[in-house]
Amino acid sequence: SEKGESPLRKALTEGDAELKKLRAILADPAVHPHILPYVRWIVGPSSSMNPSATMGPVERPLYLLRQHAHASLSDRLASRPFLTLIEKNWITFQLLNALQSLHDAGVCHGHLTTENVLLTSWNWVMISDVGCQHFKPVALPDDDPGLWIHWFEGRGREFGGGNTGVGTQEITVGSGHLGSNGEKRCTLPPERFFTPGLVKDATKTTPTELAYSMDVFSLGCVLIELFLNGERALDLGDLMEYRRQGDASNMPLSLKQKLDKIESSKMRAACRHMLSLDPSSRLSPVDYLDRLSASSSSSITHDARRNPKKPDVKISSHSSTLAPIPECFKTTLYPLLLRLRIEINSPDARIALIACKYGDVIKATVGLKDSWGVMYFSRLIGPTLQLLETSAKTDPSKKSKVGEKNCKPSGDPGFSLNEMLLETEELLRQIDSGFATRGENDNFPALDLSSSPKLLPLLDNIPLSPLNELGPQPATAQLSIVILLQVVFSSVRHVQRTSSKFVALKLMHRIALFSPDDVRLQRIVPFVTSLLQDPEPIIRASGIRVLASVLSTVTSFPPSDAQLFPQYVFKKVAHLITDPSLIVRVAFAENIALLAETSLRFLDVGHSVSLYETVIGRHNRDGNCQDISKGEKTSQMCSSSSTTTMIKSSYDSDLSALHEVVLRWMIHITTDTSDHSSQSKQALLGGLPRLCNFFGAEYSFQILPQILAFLNDRKDWQLRAALCHNLPSVCVAVGRAATEQFVIPCIETALNDDVEQVVSEALKCLSMLISLSLLTRTSLLGTDLSSEKSSHNVPVRSRRRREGIVRKCAPLLLHQS
């Protein structure tokens, strides 16, 4: 009806004017990188099935549109992998910056919650719902929750509208403010509630407009929920109880218990101070940020010189090394990620930039100077490095000159990055085709080698050294490398170039060296495993190498990961053994031994922990039961003995399962007769020492005939030479008797090979066996002399002469080579 449309037009006109005003203030991401304003309004259809028959005003929903975001903070807290403590500190750092930026622009949010704090896939914080509070009441009656339920409680999740990743919000149902577990939370400050009919007090006035201190209180509730993994800080009843007490020192018991769950004492004190009942005692966001940072050595105390009326309220007096916000957030990580937010939108360019800044981030976070890693990525990126470094320091007016070569528009901001990415892709294509070899004459751009006197070759297997320690860093700073790792994960999902995925895998490989074990297992391993299904063979081959290397660096893991290999890893990599690409099959054969050795270590540690817990539990029971009868003691001993036997039996069965899987892979490779199968066999021979350690003597006898058959391959002399080179490790496992009976005849055959390299490796193999004392004197010198001395009564016909290895090798002294 016409009567129902008039208020709608009025509200739409006022709201549109407010949105335009806020867009003009907050739309520039360079000034407000953490604010995500709404773009426009949309009027929905009428809710009535027959509008002409409606006698009253027409109800029509009103939608606000904004840019899509990956997830809200509320959704992210309930999603795996769960946020680590350092990631929560990083989000806190951004929230304080975001709120201060909003206040500097003269804007109050009015209702900050975990629902309108949005996160990108790389954990960049953006605050939404800015400007939609102008139509909501500022003051609410404390005796009637109707207004609060209508405007602030929200029923978005009940109607399926709680996913804030969608770029619309229906303002008729509030902000969708229900917890992930269905609990209703309230983040409004207590001063926004008033008691109707009460005689007005000069000290207690009903607010008529929003204040900055109100946002600070809401931020405190958001931070408590953040550090408690989604548990609400306050509901409406808790807030009313807190407001009635009128004393910040007498907080409700439930709120005190929740604050005590926050690990950091400084963060706990800051959250408690943000929830002060007196709005004038709350600090600004930048003040909390300064005092939570490692650069601040003072406690969070109100400066009496700034405001002598405020009481002296101390928040913390801990040392700066225990600060929840390390210095590297401000100096290194935030400027780097800010460039990703406002300048570099291409995922390929983001990977290139992170590779360029790798050394600076490692130095600022971990406190190490990784000379090898810096040089590796400098050579990997090539000319892109200098161009990216220059673009960061160049004035924006000068950047337009980059595109003048190809007559591009001078205002194209992405032209320089596209050119750099093309150069990167060309260089990586040359690397993949073998351009970067082990030689010392590689034609790479000149680099400053003053920090590292030796130019290391560009190899896939990145060594663990050299790492030059600069000095100890706080624990929070060392864990900050996870933030950079999350950016790599987010970017590699959307890259368009295979070369960018290759660089991302190398970044994961190198960053894993400085990451804690839980990050390796819960973040890096699942992500690298997903790349084993990539359509590009070079990515699958690099992925299995990175996966095996990362798993080998894990030293501690929870009991739930003891069966990681048989239940997850082996199932995810099994398809690579029949991969259609040769480089993938070779890479898999190279890493079978490392995977097998690591799986054995996981099994040993897991069962050792189980056995230890059993022994400790039995000891505790014995200590607590001193007065039990002899029969009960006997029954307990029998029970403990049976438990130990079960653990041993379980270990044997688990070990046998691992042996069967790896042995199946080895038989498949050794019996493969397809073209180019010798390369996979050579790769497998390189891990024989690890495989023999994994299998033990019993299973080593099973693999010995399989590998000795390689000498029958007359097409590939390199395979025969590789076998002779790696045979000593198998001989150590099978023992002296098996060596003389099975291995020596095969080596004697290799001594007569028509390829000199095979003969040379066979001689080296014999030398190694002698040094390991795996050959007897009889095998070396023969039996002719010993028979004459010890068997004078034996007929001459039975004295069969047996030549020793030395006599058989003697003619090689006259070899022409």
Side-chain angles (χ1 to χ4, degrees), residues 150-438:
H150 178 74
W151 292 108
F152 298 100
E153 177 191 8
R155 296 175 298 276
R157 290 186 181 269
E158 297 177 8
F159 291 97
N163 185 4
T164 56
V166 181
T168 60
Q169 179 185 357
E170 185 179 355
I171 65 173
T172 58
V173 296
S175 302
H177 193 43
L178 283 179
S180 58
N181 55 359
E183 295 179 342
K184 301 175 182 179
R185 63 176 72 89
C186 179
T187 62
L188 296 180
E191 59 267 21
R192 293 186 65 172
F193 292 88
F194 66 95
T195 303
L198 189 66
V199 179
K200 292 186 177 181
D201 189 358
T203 60
K204 296 181 179 180
T205 58
T206 302
T208 57
E209 60 182 12
L210 299 175
Y212 299 151
S213 59
M214 298 179 182
D215 288 343
V216 174
F217 185 94
S218 299
L219 178 61
C221 296
V222 170
L223 294 183
I224 292 175
E225 188 172 344
L226 169 64
F227 284 95
L228 297 187
N229 299 320
E231 183 181 355
R232 70 168 189 261
L234 295 167
D235 58 14
L236 184 60
D238 296 333
L239 183 65
M240 292 297 101
E241 179 185 356
Y242 185 33
R243 176 174 174 268
R244 283 193 299 268
Q245 290 178 357
D247 187 3
S249 60
N250 295 326
M251 286 186 172
L253 180 60
S254 60
L255 182 58
K256 289 182 179 180
Q257 292 174 347
K258 292 173 183 177
L259 286 170
D260 292 339
K261 295 179 183 179
I262 301 178
E263 297 181 14
S264 172
S265 59
K266 279 193 172 184
M267 188 64 69
R268 181 170 59 250
C271 293
R272 179 182 290 109
H273 193 262
M274 290 179 185
L275 300 184
S276 299
L277 287 176
D278 184 9
S280 62
S281 65
R282 301 170 197 154
L283 301 177
S284 64
V286 68
D287 290 332
Y288 287 109
L289 181 61
D290 290 341
R291 289 157 176 81
L292 286 174
S293 302
S295 58
S296 175
S297 59
S298 61
S299 61
I300 302 183
T301 307
H302 287 293
D303 192 351
R305 292 174 296 178
R306 291 176 53 185
N307 195 341
K309 297 182 180 180
K310 295 181 181 180
D312 185 24
V313 180
K314 293 185 178 181
I315 288 186
S316 180
S317 59
H318 286 15
S319 61
S320 60
T321 57
L322 299 178
I325 299 179
E327 186 66 21
C328 63
F329 279 5
K330 181 179 180 181
T331 59
T332 305
L333 290 174
Y334 189 78
L336 174 61
L337 270 65
L338 183 61
R339 289 189 61 188
L340 304 184
R341 169 73 172 94
I342 64 178
E343 292 182 26
I344 303 176
N345 295 321
S346 168
D348 299 85
R350 289 178 176 178
I351 294 294
L353 178 62
I354 293 172
C356 293
K357 296 294 185 179
Y358 166 81
D360 297 336
V361 176
I362 293 296
K363 186 186 300 183
T365 56
V366 185
L368 298 175
K369 185 178 181 182
D370 186 5
S371 303
W372 200 98
V374 172
M375 190 166 299
Y376 179 89
F377 290 113
S378 297
R379 296 175 64 186
L380 195 64
I381 298 300
T384 309
L385 175 63
Q386 188 64 31
L387 291 175
L388 274 174
E389 291 291 339
T390 304
S391 65
K393 301 177 182 179
T394 305
D395 186 77
S397 61
K398 298 180 182 180
K399 291 184 180 180
S400 60
K401 298 181 180 180
V402 179
E404 294 178 359
K405 297 179 182 179
N406 298 330
C407 300
K408 295 269 185 169
S410 61
D412 185 5
F415 172 71
S416 60
L417 292 176
N418 293 333
E419 291 294 321
M420 288 183 277
L421 289 170
L422 290 176
E423 295 175 1
T424 303
E425 185 175 6
E426 179 63 26
L427 180 63
L428 291 176
R429 189 181 298 111
Q430 295 174 357
I431 292 173
D432 296 342
S433 62
F435 173 74
T437 62
R438 296 171 182 261

Side-chain angles (χ1 to χ4, degrees), residues 665-769:
W665 291 342
M666 289 193 62
I667 293 175
H668 184 278
I669 294 176
T670 55
T671 58
D672 187 10
T673 58
S674 61
D675 296 338
H676 309 292
S677 62
S678 61
Q679 298 186 32
S680 299
K681 296 175 182 178
Q682 292 180 47
L684 181 65
L685 290 175
L688 273 183
R690 284 193 172 105
L691 287 172
C692 292
N693 181 51
F694 170 74
F695 283 116
E698 179 181 356
Y699 277 86
S700 296
F701 277 102
Q702 299 185 25
I703 67 175
L704 183 59
Q706 302 288 337
I707 62 175
L708 289 178
F710 292 170
L711 288 175
N712 299 328
D713 189 344
R714 311 310 299 176
K715 297 181 181 179
D716 190 356
W717 65 267
Q718 294 179 345
L719 177 60
R720 302 195 299 274
L723 174 63
C724 295
H725 179 76
N726 294 282
L727 264 179
S729 58
V730 186
C731 296
V732 172
V734 299
R736 178 184 295 177
T739 300
E740 292 183 345
Q741 186 176 358
F742 301 109
V743 178
I744 294 302
C746 296
I747 297 179
E748 292 175 354
T749 304
L751 291 174
N752 299 322
D753 199 278
D754 54 354
V755 180
E756 296 176 352
Q757 288 86 343
V758 178
V759 178
S760 175
E761 291 296 336
L763 288 172
K764 293 178 182 178
C765 178
L766 286 174
S767 175
M768 181 62 69
L769 293 177

Side-chain angles (χ1 to χ4, degrees), residues 427-560:
L427 180 63
L428 291 176
R429 189 181 298 111
Q430 295 174 357
I431 292 173
D432 296 342
S433 62
F435 173 74
T437 62
R438 296 171 182 261
E440 297 179 357
N441 297 324
D442 296 334
N443 185 20
F444 282 97
L447 296 174
D448 182 12
L449 304 180
S450 58
S451 59
S452 180
K454 183 179 179 181
L455 183 61
L456 299 175
L458 189 62
L459 303 175
D460 282 346
N461 297 325
I462 305 179
L464 303 183
S465 61
L467 298 176
N468 302 321
E469 186 172 357
L470 296 176
Q473 293 286 337
T476 52
Q478 294 177 359
L479 298 176
S480 302
I481 194 67
V482 180
I483 298 171
L484 184 69
L485 189 63
Q486 188 62 34
V487 181
V488 178
F489 290 158
S490 172
S491 301
V492 78
R493 291 188 180 98
H494 308 289
V495 295
Q496 298 179 357
R497 296 169 173 84
T498 303
S499 55
S500 298
K501 286 186 180 180
F502 182 80
V503 176
L505 272 172
K506 297 305 175 183
L507 282 169
M508 296 178 204
H509 190 187
R510 200 64 184 175
I511 293 175
L513 301 177
F514 312 103
S515 303
D517 287 334
D518 59 336
V519 173
R520 294 170 183 162
L521 289 174
Q522 299 178 16
R523 303 287 182 93
I524 301 178
V525 168
F527 198 89
V528 175
T529 303
S530 67
L531 292 179
L532 297 179
Q533 304 289 341
D534 194 85
E536 293 296 332
I538 185 63
I539 301 303
R540 299 197 300 273
S542 300
I544 186 61
R545 293 190 179 101
V546 173
L547 178 63
S549 178
V550 171
L551 286 171
S552 66
T553 60
V554 176
T555 57
S556 61
F557 52 88
S560 58

Side-chain angles (χ1 to χ4, degrees), residues 751-752 763 766 780 803-815:
L751 291 174
N752 299 322
L763 288 172
L766 286 174
L780 292 173
E803 291 186 354
I805 297 176
V806 174
R807 185 180 294 273
K808 294 179 181 179
C809 296
L812 295 176
L813 294 173
L814 301 178
H815 197 277

